[in-house]
Amino acid sequence: MAAAPLTPQEDTNELSHSAKLRYDEAFETEVAEVVNNPPPADGIPVDGEKETSMTDAWSQELPDIAHDELPLPLQDPRRKFRSPVAGVRLTHPGGLLEGGPALDEDVAEAQKFIDQFQVKSSEELEQKVSQQLQVAMDELRSRASARQAAVENNEKVDRELQQHVAQREVEVRIEQRAKERKGTGR
C-alpha cells in the first residue's frame, strides 16, 4: 500500500513554500482532481511559449494577495497565468501554485539549487530545472493519486458506516418492541 500523501507539516522538502501556508482540504482535493484529470492548459502563457514575454506579463496589473488568503481556490479570477500544471493558473508569472508571487527567499533558494546541482552554465541550469520540475510533477501526480484513493476509501467507509448505523437503529427498534411486548405480557 502506498504511503498517504504528506500534509504540509510533514513535508520535508526544504524548497517547499506550501509548508508555510494553512492546510486547506478543499484546495488539496481540487488540485488532486485537476492533476488526476488534467484539462487543456489555459491562462496567459509566459516565456518559452512565445506569446507573452515575462516583461510583458509583469507589466500587467498583478493582484495583491494577503498571505492569509492562501491557498486561493483554482477558480479564483485573479489566477490568469499558465503554470506547469495543466488546469492550475497562477496569479503572477512564475508565482506559487497556491497563489501569490514567488517569495523573497527564492533568490536564496535559487542559489541553493545552483550549489546543490553544481550548475556551471545557463544551459545546465535549464536542464537541471527541467529535470527537477519533472521530478516534482511526478511526485505531485503520485500524491494526487494517493489522495484520490484515500478519498474514495473514505467515501466507502462512510457508506458502510451509514449502513451499520441504519442497521443498528433497526435492531434497537426491534429490541424496544420486544421489551414492550414482554412488559405488556403478549
Side-chain angles (χ1 to χ4, degrees):
M1 183 172 182
L6 295 175
T7 63
Q9 292 77 19
E10 295 169 328
D11 196 340
T12 57
N13 179 356
E14 291 180 17
L15 301 178
S16 173
H17 298 297
S18 62
K20 298 175 185 172
L21 301 177
R22 67 181 165 80
Y23 176 75
D24 185 323
E25 181 180 1
F27 176 79
E28 297 291 331
T29 300
E30 195 174 16
V31 169
E33 177 62 31
V34 166
V35 170
N36 288 328
N37 303 299
D42 66 346
I44 300 170
V46 293
D47 279 352
E49 298 178 36
K50 305 298 184 225
E51 294 183 32
T52 304
S53 71
M54 191 64 85
T55 305
D56 291 340
W58 277 105
S59 68
Q60 296 188 24
E61 179 122 356
L62 299 174
D64 286 327
I65 300 171
H67 184 78
D68 62 353
E69 288 184 79
L70 300 177
L72 292 178
L74 296 185
Q75 301 308 317
D76 190 291
R78 295 173 285 185
R79 291 178 173 272
K80 298 178 183 176
F81 298 96
R82 191 173 293 171
S83 80
V85 181
V88 178
R89 292 184 310 272
L90 306 174
T91 58
H92 295 72
L96 302 175
L97 288 179
E98 295 87 352
L103 303 176
D104 292 340
E105 61 219 30
D106 281 350
V107 173
E109 296 296 340
Q111 189 58 53
K112 274 189 200 176
F113 183 89
I114 289 168
D115 293 345
Q116 178 182 356
F117 293 102
Q118 300 171 347
V119 174
K120 303 292 182 217
S121 68
S122 60
E123 293 82 18
E124 199 175 343
L125 178 61
E126 263 185 56
Q127 179 187 21
K128 292 295 183 185
V129 167
S130 180
Q131 288 172 351
Q132 291 305 302
L133 180 59
Q134 187 58 49
V135 167
M137 290 298 294
D138 291 346
E139 181 163 339
L140 178 61
R141 283 186 200 96
S142 173
R143 287 183 180 196
S145 293
R147 183 176 189 83
Q148 184 62 36
V151 166
E152 290 169 3
N153 185 59
N154 287 348
E155 290 170 351
K156 177 184 168 203
V157 168
D158 284 344
R159 285 190 302 274
E160 290 173 359
L161 180 60
Q162 288 172 355
Q163 289 173 346
H164 289 299
V165 166
Q167 180 180 347
R168 179 65 185 141
E169 287 173 355
V170 169
E171 291 169 355
V172 167
R173 282 194 299 259
I174 291 171
E175 186 178 342
Q176 287 174 341
R177 286 184 193 151
K179 285 181 182 178
E180 289 171 3
R181 286 185 186 149
K182 197 174 191 178
T184 61
R186 288 189 187 178

